[in-house]
Amino acid sequence: MIKLNENFDKLKKNYLFAEIAKRTEEYKAQNPNADVIKLGIGDVTLPLCSSVLDAMHEAVNEMGETATFRGYGPYEGYEFLRTAISESYLRYGIDIQPDEIYVSDGAKSDTANILEIFQTGGNVLIPNPTYPVYVDSSIIAGRNICYIDANESNNFLPLPDYSVKPSIIYLCSPNNPTGAVYNKKQLKEWVDYALENQSIILFDAAYEAFIEDPDLPHSIFEIEGSKECAIEICSFSKGAGFTGVRCGYVAIPNELKVDGKSVGEMWLRRQSIKFNGTSYITQKGAAAALSKEGMEQARKNINYYKENAKMLSETLKGLNIWHIGGKNSPYIWLKCPNNMDSWEFFDILLTKSNIVGTPGSGFGTNGEGFFRLSSFGKKEDVEKATQRIKKLQF
Amino acid sequence: MIKLNENFDKLKKNYLFAEIAKRTEEYKAQNPNADVIKLGIGDVTLPLCSSVLDAMHEAVNEMGETATFRGYGPYEGYEFLRTAISESYLRYGIDIQPDEIYVSDGAKSDTANILEIFQTGGNVLIPNPTYPVYVDSSIIAGRNICYIDANESNNFLPLPDYSVKPSIIYLCSPNNPTGAVYNKKQLKEWVDYALENQSIILFDAAYEAFIEDPDLPHSIFEIEGSKECAIEICSFSKGAGFTGVRCGYVAIPNELKVDGKSVGEMWLRRQSIKFNGTSYITQKGAAAALSKEGMEQARKNINYYKENAKMLSETLKGLNIWHIGGKNSPYIWLKCPNNMDSWEFFDILLTKSNIVGTPGSGFGTNGEGFFRLSSFGKKEDVEKATQRIKKLQF
């Protein structure tokens, strides 16, 4: 007799984005002329760069000719893309070889699926607040989660707690939702802790392209010892605007072994069973995004978002509102003024300024009293939003 | 301390395609002038149809303009594609609504991932021989498998064994690797059995486009009662040549419930946690493949492969070699002459006729003594192959 996976019953019903949509729609229905600006989304808005478009058109053409048609591709991705990714690591002085790269349909899938190669016993350590995928994918697999507090006192950059001995550690830097970025010394503490406990760090680097401070690490592999304890999960979504194109990759160093077995080989075996490779057209686009021209074009888009983030951050500074992010990240994480809770502030921002943001409480209990603004909107909208925020009386 | 998923140790090392490649390369190295014809692959070779190409070019253009750029799409796929799929079911007189369709990056992912929404206890019933993904994805999830014999005496179309009470049943028709196709009466037996045992049938319809006999069912949903016990997994890979483009879908009737809970909602929740939607460009291409023009163009490609299959089948008939498939399927499943085992026949076919096929033993113990030929090659190659096979002395 069939039974459903009961772990799904343990999922917290996440009404965050549904509730945001509901309150926004209600307000718009009552105020049909209101010019509501959405700064809640974590999705890019600028179109793809021309070098990516050109490469994808070319790939579509190749798929239309017998001589150049491509059927099933390698589970780990085409070598041309893995080589381009390997070379892109050299910007940061990191040696990751093409055979240490595993291309996929996106970092979200990888972030969740990678758990499958590890035994379900043991604890998964997750910072609170967090990107909900780490939590939900752990829960449906029946894994035990222990949280580590990210809060104002540690600038939302928690450091290891040696009393806890996790098997898996999720870290995201630059962080979603907080925009906080670990420095090298802090990441070194995590690597040392992982090595001591024989834990594996799953390092989500989806937002690394937004880092501008030269001293901040873009990759966990800038940290000594990391190749023996870390897997890096990367994305073309935010840097190259691929949220609707779907491409990401996992970097697993050949040095990374558990009980003498190669973790990369385990992952490839998993992918060979449950995945059938990434679209050839997508992979051609991704490789073009890593070309010199593609990188320059993507840089312009990233700078556009970063200008938005800067405007928002300066506005908050002028109002003495505590916040992090906004410099090396597309997100601004602010403390709601006057000890308001996250949803109170949401309602005030919506009704008084016609701005939609994201209540921090939606990302975990430690997000209560905080609020996320995103810089992925249009410049004119962000300019208008800053004018409105300045007029708010708290 | 991290531990690897020990279920991976239970996977049978599948050397099938690696061994085929090795023996083929060795032969070619020794016989550099040999004209080796590959009839082993299950991958399409004809280019994409022009209506698909046009739609994908247009989608790439849309991704290059702010006004038409698409970021994250719906987890279940765009409505335009789900509506097109829903309408395509009407060809077979089946009512599957757009909200019963869940688009993905391919049937292989779906076939494996769908297990995650069901409890791991209970048996997974799998025909032997089989497409290896059913077995391997069950094994790495720690599920118990019971096999049902497909063999010469049942024409490789096993019927239910009421002494076994599985929770999940994998059926594939037209079958990979055997090319055998269930008729409606036989599928009705499976549906009745599933309803009696409260099992769920995972029906893999990836090859339905190759069916030509008007009485044979293209979909499990042609069978009465199936909407209360079956999930259908479909693909654009074989019908529209999307093996390198990556698009498939799952159809879960709204009637399908377990303990009163909607299975479709469970699957959507799973997808929302571990998947981030299918490429917009891919979905536009898939919708074009389902247009009237796209269907007509795809039909030409399918007929091309079917002609190949027919040629192979007629050659075998002339030689009195027992086989199935080749008519409503791209595969031919033959009994190796003179009681040869699968690899013996592989070697003879390779060395005497310079033809590469797939040993049936690679698909399960009941495949021993059988052999799979694929019709996905070039017509000229298949013609040459039939001439060579006719000359073989058994």
Side-chain angles (χ1 to χ4, degrees), chain A residues 291-303:
Chain A
S291 67
K292 191 165 171 286
E293 198 191 3
M295 291 267 222
E296 280 166 11
Q297 292 170 349
R299 178 53 49 199
K300 280 186 196 155
N301 287 0
I302 293 165
N303 286 343

Side-chain angles (χ1 to χ4, degrees), chain A residues 2-3 5 9 43 48 57 61 63 72 108 116-117 119 198 238 243-244 261 272 274-275 280, chain B residues 2-3 5 9 43 48 57 61 63 71-72 108 116-117 119 198 238 244 261 272 274-275 280:
Chain A
I2 191 80
K3 294 265 177 206
N5 177 349
D9 296 337
D43 196 359
L48 296 177
H57 278 304
N61 286 336
M63 296 297 271
Y72 292 121
K108 181 181 171 187
E116 296 173 23
I117 65 171
Q119 206 172 290
Q198 293 178 270
K238 308 300 159 103
T243 53
K261 282 185 192 160
S272 75
K274 297 184 75 171
F275 181 65
Y280 174 68
Chain B
I2 191 80
K3 292 266 178 205
N5 178 347
D9 296 337
D43 196 359
L48 297 177
H57 278 304
N61 286 335
M63 296 296 272
Y72 292 121
K108 180 181 172 185
E116 295 173 23
I117 66 172
Q119 207 172 289
Q198 294 178 266
K238 307 301 158 99
K261 281 185 193 161
S272 75
K274 297 184 75 172
F275 182 62
Y280 174 68

Side-chain angles (χ1 to χ4, degrees), chain A residues 118-261:
Chain A
F118 301 112
Q119 206 172 290
T120 46
N123 288 319
V124 181
L125 187 73
I126 302 177
N128 170 4
T130 181
Y131 176 47
V133 168
Y134 313 150
V135 174
D136 291 350
S137 55
S138 297
I139 288 175
I140 63 174
R143 292 170 190 276
N144 191 44
I145 297 171
C146 50
Y147 291 99
I148 184 158
D149 287 328
N151 51 36
E152 204 182 336
S153 69
N154 59 28
N155 277 308
F156 287 89
L157 291 171
L159 290 173
D161 171 359
Y162 276 81
S163 71
V164 181
K165 302 203 178 306
S167 55
I168 292 166
I169 301 160
Y170 275 108
L171 295 178
C172 177
S173 175
N175 191 269
N176 177 15
T178 70
V181 189
Y182 281 113
N183 64 30
K184 286 183 186 169
K185 186 169 165 287
Q186 291 165 327
L187 278 190
K188 182 74 169 73
E189 288 193 46
W190 277 109
V191 166
D192 289 344
Y193 169 73
L195 289 171
E196 182 168 320
N197 286 298
Q198 293 178 270
S199 321
I200 283 201
I201 295 173
L202 301 175
F203 190 78
D204 182 344
Y207 296 92
E208 64 81 20
F210 288 84
I211 293 175
E212 60 184 61
D213 286 355
D215 290 340
L216 291 175
H218 289 253
S219 162
I220 188 80
F221 300 125
E222 294 182 51
I223 311 304
E224 202 193 324
S226 61
K227 286 191 172 182
E228 281 81 40
C229 67
I231 291 171
E232 185 154 283
I233 299 157
C234 304
S235 173
F236 287 89
S237 283
K238 308 300 159 103
F242 268 43
T243 53
V245 179
R246 313 305 314 135
C247 196
Y249 56 93
V250 169
I252 308 180
N254 290 334
E255 291 94 323
L256 187 63
K257 298 200 169 159
V258 174
D259 293 333
K261 282 185 192 160

